[in-house]
């Protein structure tokens, strides 16, 4: 298998398999119905002593692995947030894997660094972010948010925590809404700030952070000798895509000199559409912002766009140059390993470049608008049905709803009913939806953000929801 000719033969077969997979993707059960341990049980206890043929390996891939795969690229995938992909992105991933370049420093592959600089400038323009922001690609939003909180910690301690640890520091405080993503809590724990020092701020009736409560919490903390370090504002919360009032939060952060990080992991892609720019009013006062092209911009997982207003603070937080990483290249090039946690870096800019060029900005906007239109239609079907109700405002393409037939008003009963409905729906293999709880109410979540989703997929899903709910209620 090590000769380029045998690789060519096998790769052609694989490409054919992939094209067939995408042709037939709707035939697969969207959510794997694999039982825990069933894949593991089929893998031999010991690795093979000698080589096995690609035919044998591939046949096991089909037999053992495929049944344990949930099909995130299926248009029946409405769960979580999508990790959507596209053919240009896939092709770029082939190339990046083929080159196998490790892009930790400018010198280790100048094109990777310079393309990353260029596509991050493109993304900044495409989303209307301020000119003075600089971007870097991280693996995930969780990592980007961790970078933000570590940078905030270092800025406020004048880099003393990096040097001496937390021992002489006042107790630090971080703030986010009670609907903010769990990655904020993870980051606070990793940063040594402590989970107890993450203040979850209460919400208004649209699940947005209440700025009056934020300011009260900051005020109280300062009076008690605690040190406010960072506020994380969410543009598009995971539960319901609520949009925190950035403009007002930014004013509070400026007033108290607190780092403002904006988590727009999913909904940031909507900034490609001018009609959504209202949500970044105040962004020029933010210190950092993240959104994930790997969620809703047709770019294979993983690809997280992290923007900062002051790259020097980011670099000073992470920069390390041991002898074996010194180069003779002058300082004005970017060594992106100093812009984040990991040293080794994949060549992720390539897939963004392929995607943006292949769709064009207009093509990307059209696809986003199509997804928004499908969600708007789904919302109307739900609103117009007497047995269903919408549970949160639909700002983008996530619809939160539940079955709520007349006569059933007990919250536990409703929650059980909807949990049962979710299970039955996902067991059909025809779609995959997920859930959250909003104000204690079990809510079904459907996101119409899969690259290939069309109106008829949403309609089929809605028909199935009606069929299954009727069966449950009868
Ligand atoms: C608002 C928000 N922030 C952060 C994340 C974490 O994203 P990642 O998987 O890229 O770490 C998610 C994931 O869904 C999210 O919805």
């Amino acid at each position: 298998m090590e000769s380029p000719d045998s690789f060519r033969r096998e790769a052609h077969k694989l490409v054919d398999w992939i094209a067939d997979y995408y042709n037939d993707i709707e035939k697969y059960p969207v959510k794997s119905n694999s039982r825990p341990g069933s894949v593991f049980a089929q893998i031999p206890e010991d690795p093979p002593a000698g080589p096995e043929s690609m035919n044998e390996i591939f046949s096991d891939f089909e037999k053992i692995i495929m049944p344990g795969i949930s099909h995130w690229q299926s248009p029946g995938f409405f769960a979580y947030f999508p990790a959507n992909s596209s053919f240009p992105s896939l092709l770029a991933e082939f190339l990046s894997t083929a080159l196998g370049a490790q892009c930790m420093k400018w010198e280790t592959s100048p094109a990777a660094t310079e393309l990353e600089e260029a596509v991050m400038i493109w993304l900044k323009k495409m989303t209307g972010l301020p000119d003075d922001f600089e971007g870097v690609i991280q693996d995930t939003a969780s990592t980007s948010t961790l970078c933000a909180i570590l940078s905030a910690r270092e800025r406020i301690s004048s880099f003393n925590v990096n040097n001496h640890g937390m021992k002489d520091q006042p107790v630090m405080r971080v703030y986010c809404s009670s609907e903010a993503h769990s990655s904020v809590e993870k980051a606070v724990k990793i940063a040594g700030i402590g989970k107890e020092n993450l203040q979850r701020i209460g919400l208004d009736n649209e699940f947005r952070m209440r700025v009056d409560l934020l300011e009260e919490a900051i005020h109280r903390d300062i009076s008690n000798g605690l040190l406010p370090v960072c506020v994380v504002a969410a543009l598009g919360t995971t539960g319901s895509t609520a949009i925190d009032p950035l403009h007002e939060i930014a004013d509070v952060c400026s007033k108290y000199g607190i780092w403002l990080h904006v988590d727009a992991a999913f909904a940031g892609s909507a900034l490609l559409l001018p009609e959504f720019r209202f949500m970044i009013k105040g962004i020029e006062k933010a210190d950092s912002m993240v959104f994930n092209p790997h969620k809703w911009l047709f770019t294979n997982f993983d690809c997280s766009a992290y923007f900062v207003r002051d790259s020097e603070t980011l670099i000073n937080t992470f920069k390390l140059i041991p002898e074996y990483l010194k180069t003779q290249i002058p300082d004005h090039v970017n060594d992106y390993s100093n812009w984040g946690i990991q040293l080794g870096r994949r060549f992720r800019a390539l897939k963004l470049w392929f995607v943006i060029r292949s769709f064009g900005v207009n093509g990307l906007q059209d696809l986003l608008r199509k997804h928004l239109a499908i969600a708007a239609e789904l919302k109307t079907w739900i609103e117009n049905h007497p047995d269903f109700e919408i549970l949160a405002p639909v700002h983008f393409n996530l619809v939160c709803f539940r079955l709520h037939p007349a006569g059933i008003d007990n919250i536990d009963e409703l929650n059980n009913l909807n949990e049962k409905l979710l299970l039955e729906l996902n067991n059909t293999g025809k779609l995959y939806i997920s859930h959250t709880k909003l104000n204690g109410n079990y809510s079904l979540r459907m996101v119409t953000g899969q690259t290939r989703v069309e109106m008829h997929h949403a309609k089929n899903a809605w028909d199935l929801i009606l069929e299954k709910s009727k069966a449950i209620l009868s």
Side-chain angles (χ1 to χ4, degrees):
M1 186 53 200
E2 278 313 304
S3 82
D5 276 339
S6 56
F7 170 76
R8 189 191 313 276
R9 247 189 339 269
E10 295 302 337
H12 278 152
K13 282 197 260 174
L14 252 188
V15 168
D16 284 340
W17 185 93
I18 293 169
D20 289 342
Y21 170 70
Y22 274 94
N23 252 333
D24 297 340
I25 198 160
E26 291 180 51
K27 295 186 186 147
Y28 291 86
V30 191
K31 179 175 181 291
S32 166
N33 48 25
S34 212
R35 298 260 154 259
S38 65
V39 174
F40 185 85
Q42 295 176 76
I43 310 288
E45 269 178 37
D46 295 309
E52 296 187 77
S53 74
M54 204 36 74
N55 272 349
E56 285 171 287
I57 301 170
F58 195 76
S59 126
D60 280 347
F61 164 77
E62 287 194 297
K63 193 175 92 206
I64 302 173
I65 305 301
M66 282 304 279
I69 295 294
S70 292
H71 298 278
W72 284 68
Q73 304 313 317
S74 166
F77 187 95
F78 300 102
Y80 305 104
F81 283 137
N84 66 21
S85 153
S86 62
F87 290 130
S89 168
L90 228 150
L91 292 174
E93 282 285 62
F94 282 180
L95 285 178
S96 149
T97 304
L99 297 172
Q102 208 275 59
C103 311
M104 56 188 174
K105 297 173 74 70
W106 179 90
E107 189 182 270
T108 61
S109 271
T113 299
E114 293 187 17
L115 187 63
E116 186 159 336
E117 287 164 3
V119 292
M120 293 310 276
I121 291 171
W122 279 8
L123 269 191
K124 182 169 68 176
K125 290 186 178 161
M126 286 160 65
T127 51
L129 292 177
D131 274 352
D132 60 346
F133 274 31
E134 286 182 88
V136 53
I137 303 179
Q138 307 284 0
D139 53 7
T140 58
S142 303
T143 300
S144 299
T145 294
L146 175 58
C147 289
I149 288 177
L150 291 171
S151 305
R153 185 194 73 185
E154 287 315 299
R155 184 175 77 180
I156 205 145
S157 73
S158 309
F159 298 90
N160 267 315
V161 179
N162 264 359
N163 289 324
H164 309 295
M166 283 294 228
K167 70 178 169 33
D168 294 325
Q169 296 299 319
V171 173
M172 295 184 179
R173 304 286 263 186
V174 172
Y175 311 82
C176 65
S177 90
S178 54
E179 278 288 308
H181 190 262
S182 55
S183 53
V184 181
E185 182 172 325
K186 203 181 253 185
V188 164
K189 291 200 284 187
I190 298 171
I193 290 172
K195 179 173 133 178
E196 282 176 6
N197 292 310
L198 175 63
Q199 292 300 290
R200 293 273 190 177
I201 305 297
L203 308 168
D204 67 12
N205 56 8
E206 293 197 357
F207 308 105
R208 296 175 296 204
M209 184 195 285
R210 269 185 53 188
V211 186
D212 57 326
L213 296 182
L214 170 70
E215 190 159 9
E216 254 175 58
I218 291 171
H219 218 263
R220 200 170 41 245
D221 283 351
I222 294 172
S223 317
N224 290 332
L226 311 177
L227 183 63
V229 172
C230 179
V231 175
V232 180
L235 302 181
T237 56
T238 314
S240 73
T241 57
I243 304 171
D244 286 342
L246 183 63
H247 183 52
E248 294 163 49
I249 295 173
D251 283 345
V252 172
C253 289
S254 296
K255 182 167 159 192
Y256 293 93
I258 303 172
W259 186 288
L260 172 57
H261 174 59
V262 179
D263 177 3
F266 172 70
S269 295
L271 292 171
L272 263 76
L273 307 176
E275 59 269 33
F276 283 95
R277 299 269 169 87
F278 71 89
M279 65 180 176
I280 50 166
K281 189 166 174 239
I283 190 80
E284 62 291 342
K285 292 184 187 152
D287 295 283
S288 53
M289 187 265 197
V290 59
F291 86 97
N292 283 350
H294 73 225
K295 280 185 161 49
W296 191 26
L297 209 59
F298 321 109
T299 307
N300 277 65
F301 189 86
D302 50 5
C303 184
S304 181
Y306 180 54
F307 290 93
V308 291
R309 190 146 54 94
D310 167 19
S311 57
E312 225 176 282
T313 300
L314 179 70
I315 294 168
N316 286 341
T317 300
F318 293 108
K319 190 171 179 175
L320 275 178
I321 311 186
E323 188 56 37
Y324 46 81
L325 290 178
K326 286 186 182 151
T327 65
Q328 286 171 358
I329 302 299
D331 267 356
H332 62 259
V333 298
N334 281 331
D335 288 333
Y336 278 126
S337 53
N338 289 328
W339 290 55
I341 292 158
Q342 60 195 118
L343 171 65
R345 305 181 84 246
R346 301 179 61 231
F347 186 7
R348 297 190 183 92
L350 195 65
K351 57 191 170 188
L352 261 177
W353 193 50
F354 271 45
V355 167
I356 297 169
R357 293 185 62 185
S358 174
F359 284 88
V361 176
N362 294 339
L364 292 169
Q365 289 173 324
D366 290 347
L367 205 41
L368 296 173
R369 287 202 176 102
K370 175 156 95 176
H371 290 168
L372 294 161
I374 298 173
E377 197 66 19
L378 175 64
K379 176 181 171 241
T380 310
W381 299 329
I382 296 168
E383 274 172 342
N384 291 339
H385 197 289
D387 288 345
F388 284 86
E389 67 182 340
I390 296 284
L391 290 182
V394 177
H395 298 294
F396 308 96
N397 52 343
L398 166 67
V399 186
C400 291
F401 65 103
R402 69 174 171 181
L403 174 62
H404 187 174
I408 306 185
D409 283 315
N410 176 283
I411 186 164
D412 293 333
E413 208 178 328
L414 280 172
N415 286 357
N416 291 338
L417 189 69
N418 281 280
E419 193 170 357
K420 185 157 182 238
L421 178 58
L422 178 89
L423 195 71
E424 297 245 339
L425 285 165
N426 286 342
N427 280 344
T428 64
K430 292 188 180 149
L431 49 61
Y432 189 178
I433 62 180
S434 58
H435 84 282
T436 189
K437 274 200 177 156
L438 296 170
N439 288 332
N441 295 313
Y442 193 97
S443 163
L444 305 176
R445 287 174 80 262
M446 269 183 82
V447 191
T448 58
Q450 220 307 310
T451 312
R452 290 162 197 82
V453 70
E454 298 286 345
M455 194 67 85
H456 71 268
H457 296 110
K459 182 68 175 64
N460 291 345
W462 175 235
D463 288 344
L464 194 63
I465 292 168
L466 291 180
E467 182 193 315
K468 288 290 165 197
S469 54
K470 215 165 142 190
I472 288 180
L473 293 175
S474 64

